[in-house]
Amino acid sequence: MTPRTETLQATTADIDRAARLLRAGALVAFPTETVYGLGADARQADAVAKIYAAKNRPPMNPLIVHVPNAEIAQEYVRWSDIAQQLADAFWPGPLTLVLPLHSKHGLSSRVTAKLTTLAIRVPAHHVAQALLRKFDGPLAAPSANPSGKISTTTADHVLAGLSGRIDAVIDGGACTVGLESTIISVASGPPALLRAGGVSIEAIERLLSIKLQTAEDGKIIAPGQLASHYAPRAPVRLNALAKKPHEVHLGFGPIEGDLNLSAMGDLTQAAAALFAALRQLDGHAKPIAVAPIPDEGLGRAINDRLRRAAAPRDTH
Ligand code: TXA
Ligand code: MG
């Protein structure tokens, strides 16, 4: 394992260094607008293997490949009209598309966990964009956290979970979206929602004029969508209008709590604050009660993360 993790800044010189490290097969965490990603060269099998080792990630859970734009995405996946429509509307941004792998993709089979599809995304964050352009290749990057734990939205949170297990992290400040990308499969059949995230489901349904298929339809497979995920050490209780005496309370809107995701009840603000708030409250080593969050717009993705944070841990 790597003994020491370097902290790099969002400067041209440090981004050059990060790109060199990645070319040499190292692991570099970097900011995206959603969460920090743990990057490796998606063409180098050994580098990709290090991602799984550093995160303690089950090998059957495939990775998202990051590229700087939709044209380059088409070197790795078989494109379609619907992919173009979604890319035009939401790229660069917090949307991942699952598409059939291109026959000449050149990626390590560890990235796709041997599936015939690939999850691909164009991040909007200026540091991610600068790094992708400098590196000039496909970056495999899961969220930069130990598998099953809370995702990271600052460089310090990355180091708290992965220091000494990765080569470097680029400090690009706090992520603005705060939840992972929405994942839509357009690989076969009608578009399907694999994970709620930073682009609202309603916005996608409006654009495509369809209702997305979801896991409740019973046909959808997203290998990484385990019931327990984003787990703080403390147990989590949902839809709590008030806390019990031994709990700490995460509030929303008028339900004040010990810490409030958004006093004005704004879901975008709440999404950006969620993972850092769970970490902060977890520091109290008391059960965490969470106020109800409206199940609309980004609230659907927030509730998805909270349900997994509250799920029994023995499934993981
Ligand atoms: O916002 C994000 O998406 C962040 C940033 C770093 O880009 N990345 C991220 O990656 O959340 P990760 O690995 O934590 O979550 C990726 C999810 C997993 O649930 C994985 O199973 C699923 O995407 N996935 C990857 N490839 C897939 C594929 N070919 N088919 C279906 N699901 C796939
Ligand atoms: Mg993750």
Side-chain angles (χ1 to χ4, degrees):
M1 278 295 138
T2 315
R4 195 179 78 84
T5 301
E6 248 183 276
T7 299
L8 301 172
Q9 302 304 317
T11 59
T12 309
D14 276 9
I15 288 170
D16 285 359
R17 167 143 185 83
R20 276 199 310 277
L21 285 168
L22 288 164
R23 263 178 238 122
L27 297 186
V28 178
F30 62 95
T32 82
E33 69 278 22
T34 59
V35 297
Y36 274 70
L38 178 57
D41 185 340
R43 300 159 298 195
Q44 296 187 40
D46 290 350
V48 176
K50 285 191 213 165
I51 289 183
Y52 286 89
K55 282 181 60 88
N56 198 15
R57 182 179 176 102
M60 81 291 181
N61 189 1
L63 304 175
I64 297 175
V65 165
H66 297 64
V67 290
N69 58 51
E71 290 67 50
I72 295 180
Q74 290 164 58
E75 296 173 15
Y76 303 103
V77 287
R78 292 214 308 275
W79 207 237
S80 63
D81 289 348
I82 200 151
Q84 187 66 48
Q85 220 182 332
L86 287 163
D88 284 343
F90 300 115
W91 277 0
L95 177 73
T96 293
L97 296 178
V98 172
L99 285 157
L101 259 177
H102 200 290
S103 54
K104 297 203 182 87
H105 58 78
L107 305 172
S108 160
S109 63
R110 290 191 168 130
V111 170
T112 56
K114 303 208 168 94
L115 296 177
T116 56
T117 57
L118 179 69
I120 195 156
R121 130 168 163 82
V122 174
H125 196 290
H126 69 101
V127 172
Q129 278 285 336
L131 181 65
L132 285 166
R133 285 167 201 279
K134 191 75 207 177
F135 173 64
D136 195 22
L139 276 186
S143 51
N145 53 278
S147 190
K149 302 295 187 204
I150 304 173
S151 302
T152 54
T153 51
T154 70
D156 282 349
H157 296 167
V158 174
L159 290 169
L162 296 172
S163 184
R165 302 178 70 84
I166 66 176
D167 297 281
V169 56
I170 307 175
D171 187 348
C175 303
T176 52
V177 175
L179 297 174
E180 297 86 345
S181 59
T182 302
I183 306 181
I184 302 289
S185 172
V186 285
S188 60
L193 176 74
L194 301 188
R195 178 177 73 185
V199 173
S200 80
I201 297 165
E202 291 92 329
I204 295 167
E205 291 184 333
R206 260 197 312 276
L207 175 82
L208 301 177
S209 305
I210 54 153
K211 191 119 189 68
L212 288 170
Q213 307 251 310
T214 65
E216 285 88 71
D217 303 329
K219 289 176 261 176
I220 313 281
I221 309 154
Q225 295 305 86
L226 304 174
S228 171
H229 208 131
Y230 314 103
R233 280 165 298 177
V236 175
R237 182 169 71 86
L238 303 181
N239 297 315
L241 297 174
K243 70 170 171 179
K244 296 176 180 164
H246 61 290
E247 292 177 329
V248 285
H249 196 194
L250 182 56
F252 176 78
I255 300 176
E256 207 174 328
D258 299 304
L259 186 67
N260 196 299
L261 286 174
S262 169
M264 57 206 234
D266 180 72
L267 290 168
T268 303
Q269 190 178 34
L274 178 69
F275 289 142
L278 285 173
R279 276 170 192 276
Q280 190 179 328
L281 291 183
D282 205 22
H284 295 279
K286 291 179 176 175
I288 302 170
V290 186
I293 309 290
D295 206 36
E296 64 193 29
L298 290 187
R300 287 166 75 174
I302 295 172
N303 284 325
D304 169 83
R305 305 302 186 269
L306 287 171
R307 274 193 301 275
R308 293 179 207 280
R313 311 285 161 78
D314 57 3
T315 56
H316 196 270

